Amino acid sequence: MIMVNQSGTYTTFQAPTALQNASNTTIMSDDRDDNLAKVQIAILAILFVCTTLSNVLILFVLLKRRKHNALMHTFMINLCIADLVVAFFQVLPQLVWVITDRFRGPDILCRLIRYLQVVGMFASSYMIVAMTFDRHQAICRPMMTYKKGVARWNVPVFVAWAASLVLSIPQIFIFSKTKLSTGTYDCYGAFIEPWGTKAYITWMTTAVFVLPTLVIATCQVLIFKEIHDSIYLKSEKIVAMVKKKTQLVNGKDTQKSEVTTAMSKTIKMTMVIVLVYVVCWAPFFLIQMWSVWDPKAETERPVFVILMMLASLNSCTNPWIYTTFSSSVSNDLHQMFCCARRGLRKNSNPEDSCFTGTSTVPKDSLY
């Protein structure tokens, strides 16, 4: 992104998304901070490696478990794919950009990268919306969910990807390889000033962050209200009947308890993913909005640059949040690492061997 400092000169720094370089399209001077660039390179390299390895590892485990047909596994598979798009088309290009200091490639590559950068942002955000909406349907409208059958959760996933691909199309026309006043070329966006940049940043903030957050918050409130009504507002007569039925049909009640436990875990997991998403992305969008709406904003400071880069940390945390809440995935990971260690031990004892039996779905696994 290009910011105007108080002295009136232009300072260039790289932000971790396609919103970079959106606040101006002309560079008067290029004052590169080499020390800041080194910090950026280190952070971006760590983010890329961690995000890629985390999502590839969890995606591999989830794809192996497709036969179990777990509901949340499908959402997490698609969320991992979206986060890998962020890693390869947002973090990696940004890393190369900082190293080379300029975009090195043809115009078509510039437009493609800008397009896929925003696709990753939309997909990661909208997949979380799809997960939360599905939990809302399953808890607040269980009968409707039951009638739709197993294929119901493919619809939110399809809508999330379709919306991401379509809403990112303007990037292809906004950004291009542009000749700067310094005589060099870079991948910049062309905006109608003075309102073009403000409209672009405001639209992206609204579509990628504000609206999804509002939808997610609404679904979560309705979910908690439904849970509260189910737990605390039932009459004593119904509670007594349930307890009596539990004593008479222990096996059936146990099954219901297992489903309730799994549902509770998915709700907690979704909430944690949402909270981490907000914490990671809120500083980025706030700084972006501040930079375009306040002419005196000093957002070129290193602390703000680093804060915006850490937004991509969200794509690294999602798979591990899911692993923490999913007993089946965590058990498979443990078994995988255990077998890997055993393979490295040529003379391992029998008691050092890992369990190699058929993996089953634990009763408290996410569904």
Side-chain angles (χ1 to χ4, degrees), residues 20 59 148 230 265 285 327 367:
Q20 65 182 20
L59 184 61
K148 290 181 180 179
S230 299
K265 292 183 69 175
F285 285 108
S327 300
Y367 71 107

Side-chain angles (χ1 to χ4, degrees), residues 46-83:
I46 294 173
L47 284 175
F48 175 72
V49 173
C50 292
T51 302
T52 302
L53 292 180
S54 299
N55 284 281
V56 167
L57 182 62
I58 303 304
L59 184 61
F60 174 75
V61 174
L62 291 173
L63 290 176
K64 284 182 61 179
R65 298 192 62 83
R66 281 187 302 176
K67 62 182 180 179
H68 296 295
N69 203 28
L71 177 63
M72 290 303 294
H73 286 189
T74 298
F75 284 108
M76 288 309 303
I77 286 174
N78 285 272
L79 185 57
C80 284
I81 294 173
D83 288 335

Side-chain angles (χ1 to χ4, degrees), residues 288-331:
Q288 291 281 5
M289 292 290 287
W290 183 26
S291 69
V292 295
W293 286 101
D294 184 3
K296 298 181 179 179
E298 298 181 3
T299 51
E300 75 277 4
R301 293 182 179 181
V303 62
F304 294 121
V305 179
I306 294 174
L307 272 176
M308 290 200 295
M309 291 173 57
L310 293 179
S312 299
L313 182 63
N314 176 242
S315 295
C316 179
T317 58
N318 286 333
W320 297 114
I321 293 174
Y322 184 66
T323 301
T324 301
F325 283 91
S326 175
S327 300
S328 58
V329 174
S330 59
N331 288 341

Side-chain angles (χ1 to χ4, degrees), residues 11-25:
T11 302
T12 302
F13 68 85
Q14 304 293 337
T17 74
L19 304 189
Q20 65 182 20
N21 302 328
S23 60
N24 279 285
T25 56

Side-chain angles (χ1 to χ4, degrees), residues 79 123-132 216 273-274 277 314 318:
L79 185 57
S124 183
S125 176
Y126 288 2
M127 205 58 63
I128 296 175
V129 174
M131 291 170 57
T132 309
I216 291 169
I273 289 178
V274 170
Y277 172 79
N314 176 242
N318 286 333

